[in-house]
Amino acid sequence: MTVRRQATPSAPPVSFGTSSGPAEPTGEWIWQYEGYDPSQERLRESLCTLGNGYFAARGAAPEAAAGEHHYPGTYAAGCYNRLLSEVAGRQVENEDLVNLPNWLPLRFRLPGEGGSAARWFTPDEGYPLEYRQILDMRAGTLTRRMRVHTSGQRSLVVVQHRLVHMADPHLAVLRTEFTPDGWSGELEVESALDGDVRNAGVERYRALAGQHLTRMHTGAVDPATLWLRCRTSTSDIRIACAARTRVTAGRADGMRTVLGSCGAAHRLRIPLTDGEASVVEKVVALHTSRDLAISDPSLAAIDDVARAPDYAGLLASHTAAWNRLWRRADLNVPGEAGRVLRLHLFHLLQTLSPHTAELDVGVPARGLHGEAYRGHVFWDELFVLPYLNLHFPEVSRGLLNYRHRRLKRACRAAEDAGRSGAMYPWQSGSDGREETQTLHLNPRSGRWLPDHTRLQHHVGSAVAYNVWRYCEASGDTEYLHTKGAEMVMQIARFWADTAVHDPGMGRYRIKGVVGPDEYHDAYPDADTPGLDDNTYTNVTAAWVLRRALELARTLPVPRRADLFGQLGLDAAELDRWEEVSRGLRVPFHAGVVSQFEGYGNLAELDWDDYRKRYGDIRRLDRILESEGDSPNRYQASKQADVLMLGYLFSPVELAELFRLLGCSMDDETWRTTVDYYLRRTSHGSTLSGLVHGWVLARARRGDAWQHCLEALRGDVADIQGGTTAEGIHLGAMAGTLDLVQRGLAGLETRDEALRFDPAPLPELSSFGYRLRYRGHWDLGVRITADRLRVSVPDSAESPVKVVFDDRAVTVPPGGTHEFRLLTPSH
């Protein structure tokens, strides 16, 4: 088969479509790409990933192999493996989320002259005559339509539909229609399972070991069903796929099974009739030995495939499951922002669905969409759980259980560091040990450099914060008093033991850490890494200690006795927590809060010069290092650090924290601090625009929207220049949803009430959503420029206390209350 080359499409790579009613898939539900552009394929593959919380598959063309333009990838949540690599003359161990056997392969070709077979079709040989990819978010499906040239005026129309099943998390299906235009003849189709894969989706990792799968076996159950099984090389996770291939419209003159050492395939010969569609349907099942309630992954996969209905049946149950999710996560935001937010929500639900609640997994920073960050769990749950708490609290609880199961490992890490309590790792994977690499590559200079980000001990505060906020939103006191209390107490214990009293200052200090900024990991010319008195670290540590003390006072007496006995806590240790929680140091300089002790003494950077020379300076750290310099010398931040406090805490709560620490945080100090760091931040993280947009919106700043817009565009426009192709940024996506849910609404769930302090932006002054709050499902919130309306659905639950502008009202089930926003600044 030959393909006629055509010019790169001039249309934009993304079409948002047009808005209309939600009864049928329309612009607000459709994400569409027109034309085939090899340079954009990897980006499209990430944004067209389909998943169900158990596993996900990138939106790669089924006939494409991994190469320059394509990267098929299938990832199961929590499926990690560890390999050794040689880096800069040293042996380095890395744990990765494993690229599993590729279930997508389905390729086709026409017989050549004399009956010999032509080459298998691949888009990379040239451009199809027509090409379109359609992601239907409402249905959770990806459709690909293309017309390829055969010979003369003849062509072949290929339409493919795929889904990763949201009701049964182990199933996926690919349905392909072949329709000849202007000819009749025979088509050869190959439907395969490919185990010859490795982790090679991130260019800077490709020199490292990536062959995770071993002990490959293949076989056939019957003429229509193949299987493949293998294991991960060190974690010894057994993986099994089974595929059933059938011709469901038209017929196959023959089907041949081809078994190899690394794959298995069906070869079909299908007679085609001009203008008539022949359909090949491929149903796949995936299981691993991490699954519950199975005896063997191979048997489970084969049984699933044998019992699976046809495409129509699978599609019906799949879309029904998605409809249930959309009802629980209803979001009504107008315009282009609403369409992008829906895409973000779609990818969040594909990574963390109700199926996730049953798994032992955390929040992978890049979703199940690629191999960047090796699939590790950082602090991104800090941006994810606040949204899930009010829609899918069972998922939040499951993700917190991931942390609780690794509490013992965190306590061992603290012990190894000479500390008591729990020291959670900056990067987590399978078992909770520190997975942060010791070296990282600067692609700009080509040099491998020491990586000190493991000193970001503030991740422990994020764990405690998520425990507390989940329990506030859900009312899950059972969790707070058991697993939650254990984590909060042990994290508090770590901070109290880490803080060192400085007699000269009369304050407690936390030394040798790295803050969220990440550009600064040491003082200029210092021999050892780490910084002292990072404000974000100290303030959040104080907050954790206050919450631990509150728990100690409010736990039921029998539970308090049990927990204190279990942890070996006594009154003397609580007294120290009280003292440290009020005595941690917060440094200031030039009338603003210092990012860390000594920040104000660093040199100022010539921002205009660097922008003029380099244009995009988001990764200023890489630029400086390539020049033989270091960001440690400058007042220049990658992302919000001090300002993260304005993301985590309301103005009232933040002012109270500073008061307890012996400092003043009034509106003027905060505004001055915000302005100071805004001028000194390169926004090298997709989270930076989100946090700055949130903080500026809460401060009623006119420049808030530009930062919100950057957060919305982060992955859609790939503003970091190629990173989205390696996996979406899940924390930023979830954070934009929470920006609407909590940030612009000023929503807090504390003191047994829903508290609102709306700050709608002129560009987004009208929006609505539904929440699951405590026992209330589908509680409605609607905000316009001058109104706040809260509706409580009819049920047998208790009334909901709603607080706005120091006014508290009780809204009964079936009731609605409307507040008037008197002024735009209110």
CSV table of all heavy atoms in Angstrom, one decimal, residues 42 45-46 58 66-68 70-73 75 96-97 99 198-210 366 369-376 437 441 443 448 622 722-728:
chain,number,residue,atom,x,y,z
A,42,ARG,N,3.2,12.6,19.7
A,42,ARG,CA,3.4,12.3,21.1
A,42,ARG,C,2.6,13.1,22.0
A,42,ARG,O,2.1,12.6,23.0
A,42,ARG,CB,4.9,12.3,21.4
A,42,ARG,CG,5.7,11.2,20.8
A,42,ARG,CD,7.1,11.1,21.3
A,42,ARG,NE,7.8,9.9,20.9
A,42,ARG,CZ,8.6,9.2,21.6
A,42,ARG,NH1,8.8,9.5,22.9
A,42,ARG,NH2,9.2,8.1,21.1
A,45,GLU,N,-0.8,11.8,21.8
A,45,GLU,CA,-1.0,10.5,22.5
A,45,GLU,C,-1.2,10.7,24.0
A,45,GLU,O,-2.0,10.0,24.6
A,45,GLU,CB,0.3,9.7,22.2
A,45,GLU,CG,0.4,9.2,20.8
A,45,GLU,CD,1.7,8.6,20.5
A,45,GLU,OE1,2.6,8.5,21.4
A,45,GLU,OE2,1.9,8.1,19.3
A,46,SER,N,-0.5,11.7,24.6
A,46,SER,CA,-0.7,11.9,26.0
A,46,SER,C,-2.1,12.5,26.3
A,46,SER,O,-2.8,12.0,27.1
A,46,SER,CB,0.3,13.0,26.5
A,46,SER,OG,1.5,12.4,26.8
A,58,ARG,N,-1.9,5.1,26.2
A,58,ARG,CA,-1.7,6.3,25.5
A,58,ARG,C,-2.4,6.2,24.1
A,58,ARG,O,-2.7,5.1,23.6
A,58,ARG,CB,-0.2,6.5,25.2
A,58,ARG,CG,0.6,7.0,26.4
A,58,ARG,CD,2.1,7.0,26.3
A,58,ARG,NE,2.5,7.8,25.1
A,58,ARG,CZ,2.8,9.1,25.2
A,58,ARG,NH1,2.6,9.7,26.4
A,58,ARG,NH2,3.2,9.8,24.2
A,66,ALA,N,7.0,2.1,18.6
A,66,ALA,CA,7.7,3.1,19.3
A,66,ALA,C,8.8,3.6,18.4
A,66,ALA,O,9.6,2.9,17.8
A,66,ALA,CB,8.2,2.6,20.6
A,67,GLY,N,8.9,4.9,18.3
A,67,GLY,CA,9.9,5.5,17.5
A,67,GLY,C,10.0,7.0,17.7
A,67,GLY,O,9.5,7.5,18.7
A,68,GLU,N,10.5,7.7,16.8
A,68,GLU,CA,10.7,9.2,16.9
A,68,GLU,C,9.3,9.9,17.1
A,68,GLU,O,9.2,10.8,17.9
A,68,GLU,CB,11.4,9.7,15.7
A,68,GLU,CG,11.6,11.2,15.7
A,68,GLU,CD,12.2,11.8,14.4
A,68,GLU,OE1,12.5,11.0,13.5
A,68,GLU,OE2,12.4,13.0,14.3
A,70,HIS,N,6.1,8.3,17.6
A,70,HIS,CA,5.0,7.6,18.3
A,70,HIS,C,5.6,6.9,19.5
A,70,HIS,O,6.8,6.5,19.5
A,70,HIS,CB,4.4,6.5,17.4
A,70,HIS,CG,3.8,7.1,16.1
A,70,HIS,ND1,2.6,7.6,16.0
A,70,HIS,CD2,4.3,7.2,14.9
A,70,HIS,CE1,2.3,8.0,14.8
A,70,HIS,NE2,3.4,7.8,14.1
A,71,TYR,N,4.8,6.8,20.5
A,71,TYR,CA,5.2,6.0,21.7
A,71,TYR,C,4.0,5.3,22.3
A,71,TYR,O,3.3,5.9,23.2
A,71,TYR,CB,5.9,6.9,22.7
A,71,TYR,CG,6.5,6.0,23.8
A,71,TYR,CD1,7.7,5.3,23.5
A,71,TYR,CD2,6.0,5.9,25.1
A,71,TYR,CE1,8.3,4.4,24.4
A,71,TYR,CE2,6.6,5.1,26.0
A,71,TYR,CZ,7.7,4.4,25.7
A,71,TYR,OH,8.3,3.5,26.6
A,72,PRO,N,3.6,4.1,21.9
A,72,PRO,CA,2.6,3.4,22.6
A,72,PRO,C,3.0,3.1,24.0
A,72,PRO,O,4.2,2.7,24.2
A,72,PRO,CB,2.4,2.1,21.7
A,72,PRO,CG,3.1,2.4,20.4
A,72,PRO,CD,4.2,3.4,20.8
A,73,GLY,N,2.1,3.3,24.9
A,73,GLY,CA,2.4,3.0,26.3
A,73,GLY,C,1.2,2.5,27.1
A,73,GLY,O,0.1,3.1,26.9
A,75,TYR,N,0.1,1.4,31.1
A,75,TYR,CA,0.6,1.5,32.4
A,75,TYR,C,-0.5,1.1,33.4
A,75,TYR,O,-1.7,1.6,33.3
A,75,TYR,CB,1.1,2.9,32.8
A,75,TYR,CG,2.0,3.4,31.7
A,75,TYR,CD1,1.5,4.3,30.7
A,75,TYR,CD2,3.4,3.1,31.7
A,75,TYR,CE1,2.4,4.8,29.7
A,75,TYR,CE2,4.2,3.6,30.8
A,75,TYR,CZ,3.7,4.4,29.8
A,75,TYR,OH,4.6,4.9,28.8
A,96,ASP,N,10.8,2.4,38.3
A,96,ASP,CA,10.0,3.0,37.3
A,96,ASP,C,8.6,2.3,37.2
A,96,ASP,O,8.4,1.1,37.5
A,96,ASP,CB,10.6,2.8,35.9
A,96,ASP,CG,11.9,3.6,35.7
A,96,ASP,OD1,12.9,3.1,36.1
A,96,ASP,OD2,11.8,4.7,35.2
A,97,LEU,N,7.6,3.2,36.9
A,97,LEU,CA,6.3,2.6,36.5
A,97,LEU,C,6.5,1.9,35.1
A,97,LEU,O,7.0,2.5,34.2
A,97,LEU,CB,5.3,3.8,36.3
A,97,LEU,CG,3.8,3.4,36.0
A,97,LEU,CD1,3.2,2.7,37.3
A,97,LEU,CD2,3.0,4.6,35.7
A,99,ASN,N,6.2,0.2,31.5
A,99,ASN,CA,5.5,0.1,30.3
A,99,ASN,C,5.2,-1.4,30.0
A,99,ASN,O,6.0,-2.2,29.8
A,99,ASN,CB,6.4,0.7,29.2
A,99,ASN,CG,5.6,0.8,27.8
A,99,ASN,OD1,4.4,0.6,27.8
A,99,ASN,ND2,6.3,1.0,26.8
A,198,ARG,N,9.9,-1.6,26.1
A,198,ARG,CA,10.7,-1.2,27.2
A,198,ARG,C,10.3,0.2,27.5
A,198,ARG,O,9.5,0.9,26.9
A,198,ARG,CB,12.2,-1.2,26.8
A,198,ARG,CG,12.6,-0.3,25.7
A,198,ARG,CD,14.0,-0.5,25.1
A,198,ARG,NE,15.0,-0.6,26.1
A,198,ARG,CZ,15.7,0.5,26.6
A,198,ARG,NH1,15.4,1.7,26.1
A,198,ARG,NH2,16.6,0.4,27.5
A,199,ASN,N,10.8,0.7,28.6
A,199,ASN,CA,10.6,2.1,29.0
A,199,ASN,C,11.6,3.0,28.3
A,199,ASN,O,12.8,3.0,28.6
A,199,ASN,CB,10.8,2.3,30.5
A,199,ASN,CG,9.6,1.9,31.3
A,199,ASN,OD1,9.0,0.8,31.1
A,199,ASN,ND2,9.2,2.7,32.3
A,200,ALA,N,11.1,3.7,27.3
A,200,ALA,CA,11.9,4.6,26.5
A,200,ALA,C,11.2,5.9,26.1
A,200,ALA,O,11.5,6.5,25.1
A,200,ALA,CB,12.4,3.9,25.2
A,201,GLY,N,10.2,6.3,26.9
A,201,GLY,CA,9.3,7.4,26.5
A,201,GLY,C,9.8,8.7,26.9
A,201,GLY,O,9.2,9.7,26.5
A,202,VAL,N,10.9,8.8,27.6
A,202,VAL,CA,11.5,10.1,28.0
A,202,VAL,C,12.9,10.1,27.5
A,202,VAL,O,13.8,9.3,27.9
A,202,VAL,CB,11.5,10.2,29.6
A,202,VAL,CG1,12.1,11.6,30.0
A,202,VAL,CG2,10.0,10.1,30.1
A,203,GLU,N,13.2,11.1,26.7
A,203,GLU,CA,14.5,11.1,26.0
A,203,GLU,C,15.7,11.1,27.0
A,203,GLU,O,16.7,10.4,26.8
A,203,GLU,CB,14.6,12.3,25.1
A,203,GLU,CG,15.8,12.4,24.2
A,203,GLU,CD,15.8,13.5,23.2
A,203,GLU,OE1,14.8,14.2,23.2
A,203,GLU,OE2,16.8,13.7,22.5
A,204,ARG,N,15.6,11.9,28.0
A,204,ARG,CA,16.7,12.0,28.9
A,204,ARG,C,17.0,10.7,29.8
A,204,ARG,O,18.0,10.6,30.4
A,204,ARG,CB,16.6,13.2,29.9
A,204,ARG,CG,15.3,13.2,30.7
A,204,ARG,CD,15.1,14.5,31.5
A,204,ARG,NE,13.9,14.5,32.2
A,204,ARG,CZ,12.7,14.8,31.7
A,204,ARG,NH1,12.6,15.0,30.4
A,204,ARG,NH2,11.6,14.8,32.5
A,205,TYR,N,16.0,9.8,29.7
A,205,TYR,CA,16.2,8.5,30.5
A,205,TYR,C,16.7,7.4,29.5
A,205,TYR,O,17.0,6.3,30.0
A,205,TYR,CB,14.9,8.0,31.1
A,205,TYR,CG,14.2,8.9,32.1
A,205,TYR,CD1,12.9,8.7,32.4
A,205,TYR,CD2,14.8,10.0,32.7
A,205,TYR,CE1,12.2,9.5,33.3
A,205,TYR,CE2,14.2,10.8,33.6
A,205,TYR,CZ,12.9,10.6,33.9
A,205,TYR,OH,12.2,11.4,34.8
A,206,ARG,N,16.8,7.7,28.3
A,206,ARG,CA,17.0,6.5,27.3
A,206,ARG,C,18.3,5.8,27.5
A,206,ARG,O,18.5,4.7,27.0
A,206,ARG,CB,16.8,7.0,25.9
A,206,ARG,CG,15.3,7.2,25.6
A,206,ARG,CD,15.1,7.7,24.2
A,206,ARG,NE,13.7,8.3,24.1
A,206,ARG,CZ,13.3,9.1,23.2
A,206,ARG,NH1,14.1,9.5,22.2
A,206,ARG,NH2,12.0,9.5,23.1
A,207,ALA,N,19.3,6.5,28.0
A,207,ALA,CA,20.6,5.9,28.2
A,207,ALA,C,20.6,4.9,29.4
A,207,ALA,O,21.5,4.2,29.6
A,207,ALA,CB,21.7,6.9,28.4
A,208,LEU,N,19.5,5.0,30.2
A,208,LEU,CA,19.4,4.2,31.4
A,208,LEU,C,18.7,2.8,31.1
A,208,LEU,O,18.0,2.7,30.0
A,208,LEU,CB,18.6,4.9,32.4
A,208,LEU,CG,19.0,6.3,32.8
A,208,LEU,CD1,18.1,7.0,33.8
A,208,LEU,CD2,20.5,6.3,33.3
A,209,ALA,N,18.9,1.9,32.0
A,209,ALA,CA,18.2,0.6,31.8
A,209,ALA,C,16.7,0.7,31.7
A,209,ALA,O,16.1,1.5,32.5
A,209,ALA,CB,18.6,-0.4,32.9
A,210,GLY,N,16.1,0.1,30.7
A,210,GLY,CA,14.7,0.2,30.6
A,210,GLY,C,13.9,-1.1,30.2
A,210,GLY,O,12.7,-1.1,29.9
A,366,ARG,N,2.5,12.4,36.9
A,366,ARG,CA,2.2,12.6,35.5
A,366,ARG,C,1.1,11.6,35.0
A,366,ARG,O,1.1,11.3,33.8
A,366,ARG,CB,3.5,12.4,34.7
A,366,ARG,CG,4.6,13.3,35.0
A,366,ARG,CD,4.3,14.8,34.8
A,366,ARG,NE,4.5,15.1,33.5
A,366,ARG,CZ,5.6,15.5,32.9
A,366,ARG,NH1,6.7,15.6,33.6
A,366,ARG,NH2,5.6,15.9,31.6
A,369,HIS,N,-0.1,8.4,32.1
A,369,HIS,CA,-0.1,8.9,30.7
A,369,HIS,C,1.3,8.9,30.1
A,369,HIS,O,1.5,9.3,28.9
A,369,HIS,CB,-0.6,10.4,30.6
A,369,HIS,CG,-2.0,10.5,31.0
A,369,HIS,ND1,-2.5,10.2,32.3
A,369,HIS,CD2,-3.1,11.0,30.4
A,369,HIS,CE1,-3.8,10.4,32.4
A,369,HIS,NE2,-4.2,10.9,31.2
A,370,GLY,N,2.3,8.5,30.8
A,370,GLY,CA,3.7,8.5,30.3
A,370,GLY,C,4.7,8.2,31.4
A,370,GLY,O,4.3,7.9,32.5
A,371,GLU,N,6.0,8.3,31.1
A,371,GLU,CA,7.0,7.8,32.0
A,371,GLU,C,7.8,8.9,32.7
A,371,GLU,O,8.8,8.6,33.4
A,371,GLU,CB,7.9,6.8,31.2
A,371,GLU,CG,7.2,5.6,30.7
A,371,GLU,CD,7.9,4.9,29.6
A,371,GLU,OE1,9.1,5.2,29.3
A,371,GLU,OE2,7.2,4.0,28.9
A,372,ALA,N,7.5,10.2,32.5
A,372,ALA,CA,8.2,11.2,33.1
A,372,ALA,C,8.0,11.1,34.6
A,372,ALA,O,7.0,10.6,35.1
A,372,ALA,CB,7.7,12.6,32.7
A,373,TYR,N,9.1,11.5,35.3
A,373,TYR,CA,9.1,11.4,36.8
A,373,TYR,C,9.0,9.9,37.2
A,373,TYR,O,8.8,9.6,38.4
A,373,TYR,CB,8.0,12.2,37.5
A,373,TYR,CG,8.1,13.6,37.3
A,373,TYR,CD1,6.9,14.4,37.5
A,373,TYR,CD2,9.2,14.3,36.8
A,373,TYR,CE1,6.9,15.8,37.3
A,373,TYR,CE2,9.2,15.7,36.5
A,373,TYR,CZ,8.1,16.4,36.8
A,373,TYR,OH,8.0,17.8,36.6
A,374,ARG,N,9.2,9.0,36.2
A,374,ARG,CA,9.2,7.5,36.5
A,374,ARG,C,7.9,7.0,37.1
A,374,ARG,O,7.9,6.0,37.7
A,374,ARG,CB,10.4,7.2,37.4
A,374,ARG,CG,11.7,7.7,36.8
A,374,ARG,CD,12.9,7.2,37.7
A,374,ARG,NE,14.1,7.8,37.2
A,374,ARG,CZ,14.8,7.4,36.1
A,374,ARG,NH1,14.3,6.4,35.4
A,374,ARG,NH2,15.8,8.0,35.7
A,375,GLY,N,6.8,7.8,37.0
A,375,GLY,CA,5.6,7.3,37.6
A,375,GLY,C,5.5,7.5,39.1
A,375,GLY,O,4.7,6.9,39.8
A,376,HIS,N,6.5,8.3,39.7
A,376,HIS,CA,6.6,8.4,41.1
A,376,HIS,C,5.5,9.3,41.7
A,376,HIS,O,4.9,10.1,41.0
A,376,HIS,CB,7.9,9.0,41.5
A,376,HIS,CG,9.1,8.0,41.3
A,376,HIS,ND1,10.4,8.3,41.3
A,376,HIS,CD2,9.0,6.7,40.9
A,376,HIS,CE1,11.1,7.3,41.1
A,376,HIS,NE2,10.3,6.2,40.8
A,437,GLN,N,16.2,10.3,42.7
A,437,GLN,CA,17.5,10.0,42.1
A,437,GLN,C,18.6,10.8,42.8
A,437,GLN,O,18.3,11.9,43.3
A,437,GLN,CB,17.5,10.2,40.6
A,437,GLN,CG,17.3,11.6,40.2
A,437,GLN,CD,15.8,11.9,39.9
A,437,GLN,OE1,14.9,11.4,40.6
A,437,GLN,NE2,15.5,12.6,38.9
A,441,LEU,N,20.0,14.8,35.0
A,441,LEU,CA,20.6,15.3,33.8
A,441,LEU,C,20.1,16.6,33.4
A,441,LEU,O,18.9,16.9,33.4
A,441,LEU,CB,20.3,14.3,32.6
A,441,LEU,CG,20.8,14.7,31.2
A,441,LEU,CD1,22.3,14.7,31.2
A,441,LEU,CD2,20.2,13.8,30.2
A,443,PRO,N,19.5,18.5,30.3
A,443,PRO,CA,19.6,18.3,28.8
A,443,PRO,C,20.3,19.4,28.1
A,443,PRO,O,20.8,19.2,27.0
A,443,PRO,CB,18.1,18.2,28.4
A,443,PRO,CG,17.4,17.9,29.7
A,443,PRO,CD,18.2,18.6,30.8
A,448,TRP,N,25.5,15.4,34.1
A,448,TRP,CA,24.8,14.8,35.2
A,448,TRP,C,25.2,15.5,36.5
A,448,TRP,O,26.4,15.7,36.8
A,448,TRP,CB,25.1,13.3,35.3
A,448,TRP,CG,24.4,12.5,34.3
A,448,TRP,CD1,25.0,12.2,33.0
A,448,TRP,CD2,23.1,11.9,34.3
A,448,TRP,NE1,24.1,11.4,32.3
A,448,TRP,CE2,22.9,11.3,33.0
A,448,TRP,CE3,22.1,11.9,35.2
A,448,TRP,CZ2,21.8,10.6,32.7
A,448,TRP,CZ3,20.9,11.2,34.9
A,448,TRP,CH2,20.8,10.6,33.7
A,622,ARG,N,18.4,25.3,34.4
A,622,ARG,CA,19.2,24.6,33.4
A,622,ARG,C,20.1,25.6,32.6
A,622,ARG,O,21.2,25.3,32.2
A,622,ARG,CB,18.3,23.8,32.5
A,622,ARG,CG,17.6,22.7,33.1
A,622,ARG,CD,16.6,22.0,32.2
A,622,ARG,NE,16.1,20.8,32.8
A,622,ARG,CZ,15.1,20.1,32.3
A,622,ARG,NH1,14.6,20.4,31.1
A,622,ARG,NH2,14.6,19.0,32.9
A,722,GLY,N,7.4,20.4,25.2
A,722,GLY,CA,7.6,18.9,25.0
A,722,GLY,C,7.4,18.1,26.2
A,722,GLY,O,7.4,16.8,26.1
A,723,THR,N,7.1,18.6,27.4
A,723,THR,CA,7.0,17.8,28.6
A,723,THR,C,5.7,17.0,28.6
A,723,THR,O,5.6,15.9,29.2
A,723,THR,CB,7.1,18.6,29.9
A,723,THR,OG1,6.1,19.6,29.9
A,723,THR,CG2,8.5,19.4,29.9
A,724,THR,N,4.6,17.6,28.0
A,724,THR,CA,3.3,16.9,28.1
A,724,THR,C,3.4,15.6,27.3
A,724,THR,O,2.7,14.7,27.6
A,724,THR,CB,2.2,17.8,27.5
A,724,THR,OG1,2.2,19.1,28.2
A,724,THR,CG2,0.9,17.2,27.5
A,725,ALA,N,4.2,15.5,26.3
A,725,ALA,CA,4.3,14.3,25.5
A,725,ALA,C,4.8,13.1,26.4
A,725,ALA,O,4.6,12.0,26.1
A,725,ALA,CB,5.3,14.5,24.3
A,726,GLU,N,5.5,13.5,27.5
A,726,GLU,CA,6.0,12.5,28.4
A,726,GLU,C,5.0,12.1,29.6
A,726,GLU,O,5.3,11.3,30.4
A,726,GLU,CB,7.3,13.0,29.1
A,726,GLU,CG,8.3,13.3,28.1
A,726,GLU,CD,9.5,14.2,28.7
A,726,GLU,OE1,9.3,14.6,29.8
A,726,GLU,OE2,10.5,14.3,28.0
A,727,GLY,N,3.8,12.8,29.5
A,727,GLY,CA,2.8,12.5,30.5
A,727,GLY,C,2.2,13.9,31.0
A,727,GLY,O,2.9,14.9,31.1
A,728,ILE,N,0.9,13.9,31.2
A,728,ILE,CA,0.2,15.1,31.6
A,728,ILE,C,0.6,15.5,33.1
A,728,ILE,O,1.2,14.6,33.8
A,728,ILE,CB,-1.3,15.0,31.5
A,728,ILE,CG1,-1.8,13.7,32.2
A,728,ILE,CG2,-1.7,14.9,30.0
A,728,ILE,CD1,-2.3,14.0,33.6
